[in-house]
Amino acid sequence: MRLGLFGVTALLPSLAAAELFDLARLKWTLTSQNGTFSIPASGPPSQAHIDLVKAGVITEPLLGINDFTERWVINENWTYSADISSFIKSDAFKKSHQTLLVFYGLDTIANITLAGHPVAWVNNQFQQYTFDVSNILSSPKNTELVVAFESAWYYGLNVSSRPDAEHYLTNIRMSDNYEYPGVRQWVRKVASDFGWDWGPAFIPSGIYKPAYFVTLAPGKSTDTIGSPPISPEPPADLNSVTGSIFIEETSIDIYKAGQSFSVAPKQTADWVVNVSLALRSPTPLQSTTLDLAFPELKVSKQFHVTTPSASANSPTWVNAVWTIPDSIPQRWYPHNLATGPKLYNITGTLKSGSATVSFTTRTGFRTTELIQSPYTQKDIEARGITPGDQWHFEINGKAFYSLGTNIIPFDPFYARTTTDQVRWVLESAVKSGQNMLRVWGGGTYQPSDSSVAGGVYDFYSLCDELGILAWSELIFSDSLYPINDFLLESIEPEVRQNVRRVNRHPSIAQWAGGNEVEGIVTDLFSVLDNATFYQNEFVALFQDFLKDIVTSETRSVPYTDCSTTKGVLSLDPYVLRFLNGTPGFIYGNGERYNYDASQAFNYSTFPVSRFMNEFGFHSMPSFYSWEEVLTSPDDFSFNSTVVMSRDHHPPAGNLSFPNPNAPQGQAQMTLAVERWLPTPGTSDSNQTFAQWCWSTQVFQSMAMVSQVAWYRHGAGQGENNLGALVWQLNDIWQGVSWSSIEYSGRWKVTNYGLTGIFSPIAIYPFWTASNETARVLVMSDRWEPVKGNAQLTWYDWHGRELDTSHHAFTVLSLNNSVILEKSGLSNILPVGKAAADVWMLLNVTANVDGKTVTNEQFFTPTSLVEANLIDPKIAVTRHPNLTFTLSAKGGVGAWTWIDHPAGTVGIFVDTKTGQPSNGFFLVPEIDRTLQFQLSPSVSRVTNPDPADFIVRSIWNNTHV
């Protein structure tokens, strides 16, 4: 699509009366190729596994070991068929001049026939398809619509066997070692469907997004729709959904005058609102106008269009470019910066003769930039910056600290994902202080919302509303990729369609070409003599091909080649840096995965990076999540066969079951708990299992909070680190993963931990055991200096206060302040006390944006394995409205934790601070009162019994 300069330019077909017939209204049948199964099926959206469950052929795929026992579904070719007689008999069809068949998503390899005639063969899950089927329906051989899906696994094996297919040596495929290896590079499908180390491999198939017949007929019409492309909910009756002209695609790109991929926006320049619509209509336009308005801003403009004849065989673009003064709109920001998210409705009315179509959608005004230019000599000398390139984001011209996590698919079966489910995850990100989510490039292109382009559920519209930036990626992950023409021909429309659709969302932060691919390429130089060949292929795809597509479709959203990258040598021309750097300089961004738990808090092993886009450690889900999927009492054990079968780290690399490499992942969690926490073991086997699961989460939280603190403190160091995105936020099933939120929506310990360390003002004790050095820092992500007070209090495990110090501080913008620095354990500990007998409570209070912000952390100078813990004898007082007061009647309750019962989803909030709180050190005579805020939309139990809320602490690892 060409981005115009001023006015309206395009070939525009005429407005016409259009009606949508939702294919979900048809009676569908799902049939296996061998004829063994023929069952009633749901209309789109659905997938074969979902319909097989509804028919009782299989049980819920996430139960037990069904990811193994139901593999036969993957190997089968499944056909969806429906009788279209009800559509053929409709007035809409009888009066139509053109009929379109529209699929917003087919998963993935499918042969489509209609009325006995072939329509198309498709092989890309991420494309939307529109076919003119007028001629087919004018001479039908039957009244059947058939979508025959081929097993994506077998298709991948076949296509990768083509003579022109590029083959990669096993030792350089690197991360392509999941259950179904070696084919996903050739299949434009969710990469993790073939397996990943945090989820199952189901390789689903089906019409996984809504689909429609669209009838077009000339005539007088006045229609109002929502956000185009229109995708309404199915009606209650069989009458057609009346719309107007069919809007196949839209793009609303808002940027600054003069801004482009290589030209930074001038913040005082006028806004440019570039609106493009892809239309289908059977007859020419006459005297056509496009009226655009922002009603809240009281600005509007009319654009005149004159076009020659066009047909419904392909879409025609209308492009209106509108200039609005900078001072008129309020800018959109993430929720924790400036004025937060501000959205406006934009309305459009297209008129031609007696026909009119109007639409309304939401958007916002902001600039987002990825800064990759070199630091200046002035920065190096005056600020102490380590030489090299910058790598951080700016919003509306100002650098900020990106705090967040990574998103994976919300469910193995896209068609059953709900907006309520996704909203809860995104709201949880906001509640825990996150302002950026990275949409991982091995999953799917997330939808705008449920009613746009067959989205099924809301995503980017929620990010817009909640004020969360979405770092988004094209779907390429952890592999070298071939560049055969037949693949590139499929990839180009895929990328164009998704970039156009997402343009209107102010929440999108950038497009990355893929996930971790650049590192695979650069690592080849230590393995292969001909590594340059693969680097050149990478350049062709990620530096040139994908970049050119993205930047031709948007001026408002930056592009980078990969999630983990060394950055660029230049933007114009766009040239990647790879390994072309000066020793000692810092380039690009980074990640960290170290599964040696003994190094979890060794800061010398942490990267010194401008930005950390992923780092993590895996943990178990809670006992409550295991109850959802384990089917036998014998399964409730840390190393039971079923539990271990759901640990895919490291992955099997083949179809072996249970995963032969699971003992490595289990051992990593086991050793982490044994080194840093009392080893769970009680007379109650279920309690022991529950404490093991929870203890892996406690360690995960400790490790992630430590890393976030390190990277945040880097904002004031030579690396000028301005980003920390934890791997990962959500779960795709109930199993071992890196998530901070479980599949049901239950928060793990880590999400509460992130709430603390993601606070605008955070305090943290950096303890280096090797040289017995302690540094306590206060860190700020604010744009203005912040003043406050910190209190450091030593306690023994009885809860007796031993020593307290107070420290006033001032933290500069995006910086930190050292409030305590001591060396030598004898100088650090309270006089006469041993490390095993004491711990420190760190509190900070500051005024931020007119509000009082508090933050606390805990420091133990030795592992809790060695600490002389005392029974906390925690008492729980239950109040109305699911409010609980926790009191330590004995010693200090280390990592005191309250669990909500099965079937409930929500968070615990401290009634004093109003902040999420759980997993803290409970001190005698300092009670904590928490209220459980239940989320009814995602809870199966909405009126839980307060008696079912359970309290635990580290003491319960070894005591019933």
Side-chain angles (χ1 to χ4, degrees), residues 287-303:
S287 303
T288 303
T289 60
L290 174 61
D291 293 289
L292 297 175
F294 286 97
E296 187 177 347
L297 297 176
K298 299 180 180 179
V299 294
S300 61
K301 189 168 183 177
Q302 185 176 82
F303 300 88

Side-chain angles (χ1 to χ4, degrees), residues 374-381 385 388 390:
Y375 279 102
T376 65
Q377 191 62 32
K378 181 179 179 181
D379 287 326
I380 294 169
E381 294 175 357
I385 301 294
Q390 303 177 76

Side-chain angles (χ1 to χ4, degrees), residues 614-775:
E614 59 175 283
F615 51 96
F617 201 99
H618 50 304
S619 67
M620 285 275 191
S622 66
F623 187 91
Y624 298 98
S625 282
W626 284 120
E627 284 186 308
E628 296 169 7
V629 294
L630 299 184
T631 58
S632 168
D634 294 338
D635 296 336
F636 288 82
S637 174
F638 193 81
N639 289 317
S640 72
T641 299
V642 179
V643 167
M644 289 186 68
S645 77
R646 298 171 81 94
D647 185 346
H648 292 188
H649 167 70
N654 53 52
L655 293 174
S656 298
F657 182 89
N659 175 16
N661 297 323
Q664 295 180 49
Q666 297 289 103
Q668 290 163 357
M669 292 186 291
T670 300
L671 293 173
V673 171
E674 290 177 344
R675 183 177 182 90
W676 298 106
L677 302 169
T679 300
T682 72
S683 58
D684 185 319
S685 61
N686 274 350
Q687 177 182 321
T688 298
F689 179 51
Q691 290 295 127
W692 262 112
C693 295
W694 176 71
S695 293
T696 67
Q697 295 186 16
V698 171
F699 171 78
Q700 180 193 43
S701 180
M702 293 166 61
M704 293 306 97
V705 168
S706 176
Q707 285 199 62
V708 171
W710 172 260
Y711 305 132
R712 282 193 68 173
H713 114 286
Q717 307 300 310
E719 62 265 33
N720 192 29
N721 180 291
L722 290 177
L725 306 181
V726 176
W727 185 271
Q728 67 204 59
L729 179 59
N730 61 308
D731 251 334
I732 197 171
W733 74 334
Q734 306 90 334
V736 174
S737 83
W738 288 249
S739 75
S740 63
I741 300 176
E742 299 179 17
Y743 176 74
S744 67
R746 180 183 295 268
W747 283 25
K748 287 184 176 179
V749 180
T750 296
N751 219 56
Y752 285 100
L754 294 180
T755 302
I757 203 61
F758 282 167
S759 174
I761 304 297
I763 190 169
Y764 193 79
F766 292 90
W767 166 245
T768 304
S770 60
N771 61 7
E772 296 187 348
T773 298
R775 297 177 78 233

Side-chain angles (χ1 to χ4, degrees), residues 665-891:
Q666 297 289 103
Q668 290 163 357
M669 292 186 291
T670 300
L671 293 173
V673 171
E674 290 177 344
R675 183 177 182 90
W676 298 106
L677 302 169
T679 300
T682 72
S683 58
D684 185 319
S685 61
N686 274 350
Q687 177 182 321
T688 298
F689 179 51
Q691 290 295 127
W692 262 112
C693 295
W694 176 71
S695 293
T696 67
Q697 295 186 16
V698 171
F699 171 78
Q700 180 193 43
S701 180
M702 293 166 61
M704 293 306 97
V705 168
S706 176
Q707 285 199 62
V708 171
W710 172 260
Y711 305 132
R712 282 193 68 173
H713 114 286
Q717 307 300 310
E719 62 265 33
N720 192 29
N721 180 291
L722 290 177
L725 306 181
V726 176
W727 185 271
Q728 67 204 59
L729 179 59
N730 61 308
D731 251 334
I732 197 171
W733 74 334
Q734 306 90 334
V736 174
S737 83
W738 288 249
S739 75
S740 63
I741 300 176
E742 299 179 17
Y743 176 74
S744 67
R746 180 183 295 268
W747 283 25
K748 287 184 176 179
V749 180
T750 296
N751 219 56
Y752 285 100
L754 294 180
T755 302
I757 203 61
F758 282 167
S759 174
I761 304 297
I763 190 169
Y764 193 79
F766 292 90
W767 166 245
T768 304
S770 60
N771 61 7
E772 296 187 348
T773 298
R775 297 177 78 233
V776 177
L777 272 66
V778 175
M779 299 162 286
S780 172
D781 68 1
R782 299 296 86 193
W783 281 337
E784 63 284 328
V786 174
K787 294 183 178 181
N789 292 282
Q791 177 176 304
L792 312 181
T793 304
W794 283 101
Y795 291 93
D796 64 17
W797 291 109
H798 290 278
R800 294 179 294 228
E801 184 177 326
L802 304 176
D803 184 59
T804 298
S805 61
H806 298 270
H807 309 263
F809 63 83
T810 299
V811 187
L812 300 180
S813 172
L814 297 174
N815 214 313
N816 54 70
S817 179
V818 179
I819 64 170
L820 177 71
E821 187 164 15
K822 288 185 177 182
S823 295
L825 198 56
S826 60
N827 297 321
I828 296 170
L829 299 177
V831 175
K833 297 297 181 180
D837 295 325
V838 296
W839 64 281
M840 178 189 284
L841 173 63
L842 302 90
N843 291 103
V844 65
T845 303
N847 186 280
V848 176
D849 300 328
K851 300 178 182 179
T852 299
V853 173
T854 62
N855 184 247
E856 70 176 10
Q857 295 292 337
F858 315 99
F859 168 60
T860 59
T862 186
S863 164
L864 287 176
V865 174
E866 301 165 4
N868 294 318
L869 300 177
I870 295 171
D871 185 354
K873 300 179 181 178
I874 299 173
V876 182
T877 303
R878 292 169 169 82
H879 308 285
N881 301 317
L882 300 179
T883 301
F884 307 86
T885 296
L886 310 185
S887 308
K889 302 299 185 181

Side-chain angles (χ1 to χ4, degrees), residues 843 845 851-856 883-886 908-917 920 922-923 925-931 933:
N843 291 103
T845 303
K851 300 178 182 179
T852 299
V853 173
T854 62
N855 184 247
E856 70 176 10
T883 301
F884 307 86
T885 296
L886 310 185
F908 292 96
V909 172
D910 189 296
T911 57
K912 289 184 178 179
T913 67
Q915 295 298 307
S917 182
F920 43 77
L922 184 64
V923 181
E925 299 184 6
I926 304 179
D927 295 350
R928 298 284 187 119
T929 300
L930 308 176
Q931 182 182 37
Q933 297 183 349

Side-chain angles (χ1 to χ4, degrees), residues 60-121:
E60 164 58 45
L62 296 185
L63 282 176
I65 60 171
N66 280 356
D67 61 317
F68 168 66
T69 59
E70 294 176 0
R71 283 178 177 172
W72 65 269
V73 180
I74 295 170
N75 298 333
E76 184 60 80
N77 296 329
W78 295 100
T79 296
Y80 280 89
S81 58
D83 189 308
I84 62 169
S85 296
S86 59
F87 171 69
I88 297 295
K89 296 175 182 178
S90 69
D91 289 341
F93 173 70
K94 292 177 180 178
K95 295 177 181 179
S96 68
H97 285 209
Q98 300 279 347
T99 301
L100 307 176
L101 176 59
V102 179
F103 292 101
Y104 282 117
L106 294 167
D107 183 12
T108 295
I109 317 302
N111 200 25
I112 306 164
T113 59
L114 177 65
H117 298 278
V119 176
W121 176 82

Side-chain angles (χ1 to χ4, degrees), residues 8 12-16 221-223 244-247 277-279 285 287-292 303-305 316 318-319 347-359:
V8 177
L12 180 65
S14 77
L15 286 170
S221 64
T222 301
D223 300 300
S244 189
I245 187 171
F246 181 61
I247 302 177
L277 306 175
L279 309 176
L285 282 172
S287 303
T288 303
T289 60
L290 174 61
D291 293 289
L292 297 175
F303 300 88
H304 294 271
V305 179
T316 302
V318 178
N319 175 231
T347 65
T349 300
L350 199 59
K351 298 179 181 179
S352 179
S354 61
T356 301
V357 59
S358 299
F359 65 86

